[in-house]
Amino acid sequence: MPRPKLSVVITTHDRAALVGRAIQSALSQDWPGVEVIVVDDGSRDATPELVRGAYPEVRYLRQATSQGPGPARNCGIRVAVNEWVLILDDDDTLLPHALTRVAAAIEAFPAARDYPVLQFARTNGTAPQEYLVARLHDYLSETLRGDFTPVIQARLFTDRGFAYPSLRVGAEALLWWQVAERYGIPTWALQVAHVGTDAPLRLTSPEHQIASAPEYARLQEVTLERFGELLAARYPDLYVKKRLGAAAYWLLAGERGKARMHLRHTVRGRHLFYSLALWGLSALPRGVTRTAFVAYRRKLGT
């Protein structure tokens, strides 16, 4: 097998204070010939000047308007010169020797080119063993926990009809479910990237989720449209969680009718308390729901 050729795609939006750290972690790798691509999702801050001025060796692409991380990642995958594309978030960093370890894993795995996606743990990612081919069940049963860094075989990925969804929040999880269902995803517990926690507004923060509540609700609905029948039959607990999530986000968005439609599917099992609580909130002003949501998230420590 020839030595793997690697590109790193970093997508960013209005994070000039952070993206340089991610870029430097990629440029500092000890793997020869790495291509670093930054796709700017229509930033309105100093990102263009920073990347063009401080990192002239980086391929910089800028979308005229913000389309979300999915289209930006698809753009990076399309233009990458090399066969394998590692996707790096703009607030994360590659660990030292990360690309060397990724390449070594590919070289030691003769079947690597049969798979459109491989993945390696980030610092908060855990797997039950050092290596496995993750199937849909591993996601639905939460055998895999935390975050993993995808390494995409670009041409095979696109030729088989895969792309990051255009939904602005959390849609990559739905993509991995689809890939795992069709092919499986070779997964290594080896950590290759550090998860950043210092972004001024993280996508998982209560404030962001409230501001983007319709998008989070739609993500739950798209997941139910694609996998709802399977979840209801084989993973009823997760099915109810997706319904409750859709209901909660629609309530945060002020859409009581849509929230109650989902709640009608949840009045059973061990989540009955949460279902009844959301029914109660659906009769109260939206501000009460938002206060309750923030308190709940803080109680969970997220």
Side-chain angles (χ1 to χ4, degrees):
M1 177 186 294
R3 302 199 82 187
K5 295 183 178 180
L6 299 168
S7 297
V8 177
V9 168
I10 304 169
T11 58
T12 190
H13 176 71
D14 284 350
R15 283 184 171 177
L18 292 177
V19 69
R21 181 179 64 188
I23 295 171
Q24 191 59 53
S25 77
L27 293 174
S28 299
Q29 293 294 307
D30 56 356
W31 188 252
V34 62
E35 174 189 45
V36 180
I37 301 168
V38 173
V39 183
D40 183 349
D41 184 34
S43 291
R44 297 159 296 178
D45 64 1
T47 296
E49 294 78 13
L50 170 76
V51 179
R52 288 171 174 149
Y55 304 101
E57 63 270 62
V58 166
R59 290 184 66 187
Y60 175 73
L61 306 173
R62 186 174 189 276
Q63 301 188 131
T65 59
S66 176
Q67 302 172 43
R73 288 167 180 156
N74 292 333
C75 175
I77 292 167
R78 284 195 305 270
V79 304
V81 169
N82 293 325
E83 178 182 13
W84 296 97
V85 178
L86 184 149
I87 304 294
L88 183 66
D89 289 350
D90 59 0
D91 57 342
D92 290 349
T93 52
L94 288 177
L95 296 174
H97 314 296
L99 297 185
T100 298
R101 291 168 180 163
V102 167
I106 295 173
E107 289 178 310
F109 183 49
R113 287 186 168 82
D114 295 334
Y115 292 92
V117 179
L118 317 176
Q119 63 181 358
F120 298 80
R122 296 188 223 176
T123 47
N124 68 343
T126 60
Q129 55 202 61
E130 288 302 310
Y131 165 80
L132 75 156
V133 177
R135 307 291 179 180
L136 180 59
H137 172 74
D138 294 304
Y139 287 92
L140 302 184
S141 63
E142 298 184 335
T143 299
L144 301 177
R145 295 180 177 273
D147 297 319
F148 288 78
T149 295
V151 179
I152 293 170
Q153 191 176 176
R155 301 291 81 80
L156 186 62
F157 181 80
T158 54
D159 288 349
R160 293 187 177 175
F162 291 116
Y164 277 87
S166 58
L167 294 168
R168 287 180 172 269
V169 296
E172 62 272 13
L174 184 58
L175 172 61
W176 307 141
W177 286 19
Q178 293 169 333
V179 176
E181 181 184 39
R182 287 177 58 184
Y183 298 102
I185 303 178
T187 299
W188 284 263
L190 174 70
Q191 295 181 350
V192 301
H194 180 271
V195 176
T197 59
D198 55 350
L201 182 61
R202 292 184 58 78
L203 300 184
T204 55
S205 69
E207 294 78 13
H208 180 271
Q209 292 191 342
I210 290 171
S212 305
E215 296 168 16
Y216 279 97
R218 183 58 184 151
L219 172 62
Q220 308 307 312
E221 292 187 336
V222 170
T223 303
L224 288 165
E225 289 167 8
R226 176 64 179 80
F227 293 100
E229 185 175 341
L230 172 66
L231 295 179
R234 296 179 54 190
Y235 304 91
D237 187 64
L238 183 56
Y239 174 79
V240 172
K241 286 182 179 178
K242 293 297 179 185
R243 289 286 189 182
L244 288 172
Y249 288 121
W250 281 129
L251 284 179
L252 290 169
E255 297 282 356
R256 297 182 183 182
K258 292 181 180 179
R260 288 170 178 169
M261 183 275 291
H262 288 285
L263 288 174
R264 293 188 185 98
H265 298 269
T266 68
V267 188
R268 64 177 187 270
R270 68 188 187 92
H271 296 292
L272 179 61
F273 170 80
Y274 296 103
S275 178
L276 294 176
L278 289 173
W279 272 109
L281 287 171
S282 73
L284 299 174
R286 182 165 49 164
V288 176
T289 301
R290 292 180 171 181
T291 300
F293 178 77
V294 172
Y296 174 73
R297 290 293 307 279
R298 287 178 178 166
K299 181 180 179 181
L300 293 178
T302 57

